[in-house]
Amino acid sequence: FPDKLPAQVSENLKKMEIRHLLTMTTGHDVAPSIRKLTGKDDWVATFLAAPVEHEPGTFYAYNTLGSYMLSAIVTRVSGMTLSAFLQKHLFDAMDIRNYYWECCPRGIEKGGWGLYMRPEDLGKLGLLVLQNGQWGGRQLISADYISRAVTPQVRTPESTGRYDYGYQIWVGDHPRAFLFNGMFGQNVLAFPDTDVLIVPTAANDELFQQGAFYGIAESFFADAASLSDAPLPTDAASEVRLQTELLQCAGRTAAVRNPAASGP
Protein backbone atom coordinates (compact mmCIF):
# COMPACT_ATOMS: atom_id res chain seq x y z
CA PHE A 1 0.00 0.00 0.00
CA PRO A 2 2.50 2.68 -1.08
CA ASP A 3 -0.35 5.17 -1.35
CA LYS A 4 -1.34 4.63 2.30
CA LEU A 5 2.02 4.95 4.04
CA PRO A 6 2.71 7.63 6.65
CA ALA A 7 5.12 10.43 5.84
CA GLN A 8 7.82 8.78 7.97
CA VAL A 9 8.09 4.99 7.59
CA SER A 10 9.86 3.37 10.53
CA GLU A 11 12.41 0.59 10.12
CA ASN A 12 10.08 -1.82 11.92
CA LEU A 13 7.17 -0.99 9.61
CA LYS A 14 9.43 -1.66 6.61
CA LYS A 15 10.07 -5.17 7.98
CA MET A 16 6.41 -6.10 8.43
CA GLU A 17 5.33 -9.00 6.20
CA ILE A 18 2.13 -10.97 5.61
CA ARG A 19 3.34 -13.79 7.89
CA HIS A 20 3.50 -11.30 10.75
CA LEU A 21 -0.15 -10.40 10.15
CA LEU A 22 -1.02 -14.10 10.08
CA THR A 23 0.71 -14.78 13.40
CA MET A 24 -0.23 -11.53 15.21
CA THR A 25 3.47 -10.61 15.51
CA THR A 26 3.33 -7.29 13.65
CA GLY A 27 5.47 -5.62 16.30
CA HIS A 28 2.83 -3.38 17.86
CA ASP A 29 3.30 -3.09 21.61
CA VAL A 30 -0.45 -2.58 21.87
CA ALA A 31 -2.51 -3.49 18.83
CA PRO A 32 -4.26 -0.59 17.05
CA SER A 33 -7.69 -0.38 18.65
CA ILE A 34 -10.74 -0.97 16.47
CA ARG A 35 -12.64 1.27 18.86
CA LYS A 36 -10.64 4.23 17.59
CA LEU A 37 -11.80 3.67 14.01
CA THR A 38 -15.10 5.47 14.59
CA GLY A 39 -15.24 8.42 12.24
CA LYS A 40 -12.17 7.28 10.30
CA ASP A 41 -12.67 6.46 6.64
CA ASP A 42 -9.33 4.85 5.73
CA TRP A 43 -8.59 1.94 8.04
CA VAL A 44 -5.53 0.80 6.07
CA ALA A 45 -3.85 4.17 6.54
CA THR A 46 -4.85 4.12 10.22
CA PHE A 47 -3.16 0.74 10.70
CA LEU A 48 0.01 1.77 8.89
CA ALA A 49 0.24 4.99 10.89
CA ALA A 50 0.26 3.15 14.24
CA PRO A 51 3.67 2.99 16.00
CA VAL A 52 5.52 -0.33 15.55
CA GLU A 53 7.60 -0.52 18.71
CA HIS A 54 9.08 -4.02 18.23
CA GLU A 55 10.74 -5.74 15.30
CA PRO A 56 8.02 -7.78 13.54
CA GLY A 57 8.19 -11.46 14.41
CA THR A 58 9.64 -10.88 17.86
CA PHE A 59 6.57 -9.83 19.86
CA TYR A 60 3.00 -11.15 20.04
CA ALA A 61 -0.04 -8.93 20.57
CA TYR A 62 -3.54 -10.00 19.55
CA ASN A 63 -4.31 -7.74 16.60
CA THR A 64 -7.80 -7.73 15.11
CA LEU A 65 -7.00 -4.84 12.79
CA GLY A 66 -4.11 -6.92 11.47
CA SER A 67 -6.69 -9.46 10.32
CA TYR A 68 -8.53 -6.61 8.59
CA MET A 69 -5.27 -5.86 6.77
CA LEU A 70 -5.21 -9.44 5.43
CA SER A 71 -8.68 -8.83 3.99
CA ALA A 72 -7.48 -5.54 2.50
CA ILE A 73 -4.48 -7.29 0.92
CA VAL A 74 -6.66 -9.96 -0.70
CA THR A 75 -8.90 -7.20 -2.04
CA ARG A 76 -6.00 -5.13 -3.38
CA VAL A 77 -4.10 -8.04 -4.96
CA SER A 78 -7.04 -10.00 -6.40
CA GLY A 79 -9.27 -7.09 -7.38
CA MET A 80 -12.14 -8.91 -5.64
CA THR A 81 -13.78 -8.52 -2.26
CA LEU A 82 -12.76 -11.13 0.30
CA SER A 83 -16.25 -12.65 0.11
CA ALA A 84 -16.12 -12.90 -3.68
CA PHE A 85 -12.64 -14.43 -3.51
CA LEU A 86 -13.72 -17.01 -0.96
CA GLN A 87 -16.92 -17.76 -2.86
CA LYS A 88 -14.96 -18.50 -6.02
CA HIS A 89 -12.11 -20.51 -4.48
CA LEU A 90 -13.72 -22.19 -1.45
CA PHE A 91 -17.38 -21.57 -0.72
CA ASP A 92 -18.88 -22.68 -4.06
CA ALA A 93 -17.10 -26.03 -3.79
CA MET A 94 -18.30 -26.39 -0.16
CA ASP A 95 -21.88 -25.25 -0.80
CA ILE A 96 -21.55 -22.30 1.60
CA ARG A 97 -23.90 -19.52 0.52
CA ASN A 98 -25.73 -18.03 3.50
CA TYR A 99 -23.40 -15.63 5.30
CA TYR A 100 -22.75 -11.94 5.76
CA TRP A 101 -19.55 -10.03 6.45
CA GLU A 102 -19.56 -6.46 7.73
CA CYS A 103 -17.45 -3.95 5.79
CA CYS A 104 -15.39 -0.88 6.60
CA PRO A 105 -16.49 2.51 5.17
CA ARG A 106 -14.56 1.73 1.97
CA GLY A 107 -16.30 -1.60 1.36
CA ILE A 108 -13.51 -3.92 2.53
CA GLU A 109 -14.71 -6.83 4.67
CA LYS A 110 -13.52 -6.47 8.24
CA GLY A 111 -11.61 -9.78 8.16
CA GLY A 112 -11.04 -10.12 11.89
CA TRP A 113 -14.66 -9.69 12.97
CA GLY A 114 -18.21 -9.11 11.77
CA LEU A 115 -18.79 -12.46 10.04
CA TYR A 116 -22.24 -14.04 10.41
CA MET A 117 -22.46 -17.69 9.36
CA ARG A 118 -24.54 -20.79 10.12
CA PRO A 119 -23.01 -23.28 12.58
CA GLU A 120 -23.06 -26.04 9.96
CA ASP A 121 -21.02 -23.87 7.58
CA LEU A 122 -18.57 -23.00 10.34
CA GLY A 123 -18.27 -26.75 10.83
CA LYS A 124 -17.44 -27.17 7.16
CA LEU A 125 -14.55 -24.73 7.47
CA GLY A 126 -13.26 -26.62 10.50
CA LEU A 127 -13.59 -29.90 8.62
CA LEU A 128 -11.68 -28.44 5.67
CA VAL A 129 -8.73 -27.77 7.98
CA LEU A 130 -9.15 -31.13 9.74
CA GLN A 131 -8.93 -32.79 6.29
CA ASN A 132 -5.70 -30.92 5.46
CA GLY A 133 -7.35 -28.64 2.92
CA GLN A 134 -9.25 -31.35 1.02
CA TRP A 135 -12.95 -31.22 0.21
CA GLY A 136 -14.89 -33.62 -1.96
CA GLY A 137 -11.70 -35.13 -3.36
CA ARG A 138 -10.26 -31.70 -4.28
CA GLN A 139 -7.31 -29.93 -2.67
CA LEU A 140 -8.85 -26.49 -2.06
CA ILE A 141 -6.00 -25.25 0.16
CA SER A 142 -2.46 -26.60 0.02
CA ALA A 143 -1.68 -29.20 2.66
CA ASP A 144 1.62 -27.44 3.34
CA TYR A 145 -0.16 -24.21 4.24
CA ILE A 146 -2.66 -26.02 6.47
CA SER A 147 0.21 -27.78 8.25
CA ARG A 148 1.88 -24.45 9.01
CA ALA A 149 -1.42 -22.82 9.97
CA VAL A 150 -2.14 -25.41 12.69
CA THR A 151 1.44 -25.57 13.99
CA PRO A 152 2.32 -23.22 16.88
CA GLN A 153 4.19 -20.31 15.29
CA VAL A 154 4.30 -18.15 18.40
CA ARG A 155 3.75 -18.59 22.13
CA THR A 156 0.95 -16.51 23.57
CA PRO A 157 0.50 -14.94 27.03
CA GLU A 158 -1.22 -17.05 29.67
CA SER A 159 -3.93 -14.40 29.85
CA THR A 160 -5.27 -15.49 26.44
CA GLY A 161 -5.88 -19.08 27.54
CA ARG A 162 -4.53 -22.54 26.88
CA TYR A 163 -3.69 -22.28 23.15
CA ASP A 164 -0.79 -20.77 21.21
CA TYR A 165 -1.06 -19.28 17.73
CA GLY A 166 -0.51 -20.51 14.18
CA TYR A 167 -1.74 -18.68 11.07
CA GLN A 168 -4.93 -16.94 12.25
CA ILE A 169 -5.78 -20.14 14.15
CA TRP A 170 -5.30 -20.99 17.81
CA VAL A 171 -3.36 -24.25 18.21
CA GLY A 172 -2.52 -26.57 21.09
CA ASP A 173 0.36 -28.92 21.80
CA HIS A 174 -1.09 -31.08 24.56
CA PRO A 175 -3.57 -32.11 23.39
CA ARG A 176 -2.94 -31.48 19.71
CA ALA A 177 -5.92 -29.33 18.72
CA PHE A 178 -6.88 -26.26 16.75
CA LEU A 179 -9.47 -23.61 17.42
CA PHE A 180 -11.33 -20.86 15.59
CA ASN A 181 -12.14 -18.60 18.53
CA GLY A 182 -14.94 -16.05 18.11
CA MET A 183 -16.10 -13.63 20.76
CA PHE A 184 -18.50 -14.70 23.48
CA GLY A 185 -18.39 -18.47 23.01
CA GLN A 186 -18.53 -18.87 19.21
CA ASN A 187 -15.95 -21.53 18.42
CA VAL A 188 -14.84 -24.29 16.10
CA LEU A 189 -12.74 -26.69 18.17
CA ALA A 190 -11.06 -29.71 16.56
CA PHE A 191 -9.04 -32.63 17.89
CA PRO A 192 -7.13 -34.20 14.95
CA ASP A 193 -5.93 -37.15 17.04
CA THR A 194 -9.52 -38.34 17.55
CA ASP A 195 -11.08 -36.77 14.44
CA VAL A 196 -13.60 -34.86 16.57
CA LEU A 197 -14.98 -31.43 15.59
CA ILE A 198 -17.14 -29.33 17.94
CA VAL A 199 -19.03 -26.17 16.91
CA PRO A 200 -20.57 -24.39 19.90
CA THR A 201 -22.33 -21.02 19.59
CA ALA A 202 -22.81 -20.02 23.21
CA ALA A 203 -23.46 -16.64 24.77
CA ASN A 204 -20.95 -15.78 27.48
CA ASP A 205 -18.41 -13.11 28.35
CA GLU A 206 -15.28 -14.91 27.14
CA LEU A 207 -12.96 -13.14 24.72
CA PHE A 208 -10.41 -15.95 24.48
CA GLN A 209 -10.23 -19.37 26.18
CA GLN A 210 -10.50 -18.54 29.85
CA GLY A 211 -13.66 -20.56 30.46
CA ALA A 212 -14.16 -24.15 31.55
CA PHE A 213 -15.55 -25.33 28.20
CA TYR A 214 -12.16 -26.09 26.64
CA GLY A 215 -10.93 -28.24 29.50
CA ILE A 216 -14.23 -30.16 29.56
CA ALA A 217 -14.09 -30.76 25.80
CA GLU A 218 -10.50 -31.94 26.02
CA SER A 219 -11.30 -34.37 28.84
CA PHE A 220 -13.95 -36.08 26.72
CA PHE A 221 -12.68 -35.84 23.14
CA ALA A 222 -8.93 -35.15 22.93
CA ASP A 223 -7.61 -38.59 23.87
CA ALA A 224 -8.50 -41.63 21.78
CA ALA A 225 -8.40 -43.77 24.94
CA SER A 226 -11.35 -41.80 26.33
CA LEU A 227 -13.55 -42.57 23.31
CA SER A 228 -15.62 -45.68 22.86
CA ASP A 229 -17.87 -47.11 20.15
CA ALA A 230 -20.19 -48.49 22.81
CA PRO A 231 -23.58 -46.76 22.99
CA LEU A 232 -24.32 -44.54 25.95
CA PRO A 233 -26.57 -46.03 28.63
CA THR A 234 -30.27 -45.30 28.30
CA ASP A 235 -31.44 -42.21 30.19
CA ALA A 236 -35.19 -41.92 29.74
CA ALA A 237 -35.57 -38.73 31.80
CA SER A 238 -32.90 -36.89 29.85
CA GLU A 239 -34.42 -38.07 26.56
CA VAL A 240 -37.76 -36.56 27.55
CA ARG A 241 -36.07 -33.28 28.49
CA LEU A 242 -34.21 -33.23 25.17
CA GLN A 243 -37.33 -33.85 23.09
CA THR A 244 -39.24 -31.20 25.05
CA GLU A 245 -36.51 -28.64 24.44
CA LEU A 246 -36.35 -29.49 20.74
CA LEU A 247 -40.09 -29.03 20.41
CA GLN A 248 -39.88 -25.68 22.18
CA CYS A 249 -37.04 -24.58 19.91
CA ALA A 250 -39.04 -25.64 16.85
CA GLY A 251 -41.98 -23.60 18.10
CA ARG A 252 -39.82 -20.52 18.61
CA THR A 253 -38.34 -20.92 15.13
CA ALA A 254 -41.81 -21.15 13.61
CA ALA A 255 -42.86 -18.05 15.49
CA VAL A 256 -39.88 -16.10 14.14
CA ARG A 257 -40.57 -17.21 10.58
CA ASN A 258 -44.25 -16.32 10.88
CA PRO A 259 -44.58 -13.37 13.28
CA ALA A 260 -48.31 -13.11 12.67
CA ALA A 261 -48.77 -16.56 14.17
CA SER A 262 -47.11 -15.61 17.45
CA GLY A 263 -49.77 -13.12 18.54
CA PRO A 264 -49.29 -9.56 19.78
Side-chain angles (χ1 to χ4, degrees):
F1 298 98
D3 54 323
K4 308 288 186 182
L5 292 173
Q8 298 295 325
V9 179
S10 70
E11 290 302 311
N12 283 339
L13 180 57
K14 290 178 183 178
K15 295 177 181 178
M16 192 184 301
E17 300 179 356
I18 290 174
R19 62 190 174 93
H20 301 131
L21 297 170
L22 289 169
T23 57
M24 305 265 184
T25 58
T26 55
H28 296 99
D29 192 66
V30 177
S33 174
I34 61 176
R35 295 175 180 173
K36 295 181 179 180
L37 295 174
T38 303
K40 289 184 168 57
D41 174 65
D42 195 333
W43 292 7
V44 172
T46 299
F47 176 88
L48 294 173
V52 184
E53 295 89 348
H54 306 273
E55 182 177 348
T58 66
F59 186 83
Y60 171 90
Y62 190 82
N63 197 327
T64 301
L65 200 56
S67 299
Y68 165 80
M69 288 297 295
L70 291 169
S71 174
I73 289 170
V74 170
T75 301
R76 173 66 68 95
V77 173
S78 70
M80 307 167 67
T81 65
L82 179 60
S83 291
F85 185 88
L86 291 170
Q87 195 68 57
K88 177 180 179 180
H89 294 286
L90 289 183
F91 290 173
D92 278 345
M94 302 172 71
D95 195 28
I96 296 176
R97 306 188 187 281
N98 297 314
Y99 61 92
Y100 171 73
W101 214 325
E102 296 174 358
C103 295
C104 76
R106 298 202 174 188
I108 300 171
E109 277 100 348
K110 293 179 178 178
W113 75 105
L115 174 62
Y116 301 80
M117 181 173 279
R118 301 186 308 171
E120 50 264 53
D121 289 334
L122 285 172
K124 288 180 181 180
L125 295 177
L127 188 58
L128 178 67
V129 176
L130 195 60
Q131 296 176 160
N132 298 312
Q134 287 193 2
W135 191 268
R138 295 173 57 190
Q139 193 74 42
L140 299 185
I141 302 176
S142 76
D144 177 66
Y145 180 85
I146 294 293
S147 176
R148 283 181 280 140
V150 298
T151 297
Q153 301 291 336
V154 60
R155 299 297 177 185
T156 61
E158 290 185 7
S159 60
T160 61
R162 61 179 63 235
Y163 293 99
D164 290 315
Y165 212 68
Y167 286 174
Q168 295 288 288
I169 297 175
W170 297 93
V171 291
D173 280 332
H174 307 289
R176 195 166 66 97
F178 66 81
L179 169 69
F180 308 163
N181 183 203
M183 289 179 67
F184 310 131
Q186 304 170 73
N187 298 289
V188 177
L189 176 60
F191 299 106
D193 291 341
T194 55
D195 206 28
V196 170
L197 185 73
I198 306 171
V199 185
T201 53
N204 57 41
D205 59 358
E206 293 173 19
L207 292 180
F208 295 107
Q209 308 104 41
Q210 301 94 335
F213 163 76
Y214 306 94
I216 294 171
E218 288 172 8
S219 69
F220 281 101
F221 301 112
D223 184 1
S226 67
L227 301 180
S228 171
D229 291 331
L232 294 173
T234 301
D235 186 342
S238 294
E239 181 66 23
V240 170
R241 288 173 54 198
L242 174 61
Q243 293 303 323
T244 300
E245 182 64 26
L246 290 173
L247 287 171
Q248 291 175 346
C249 288
R252 287 196 292 268
T253 301
V256 170
R257 291 177 177 172
N258 184 11
S262 61

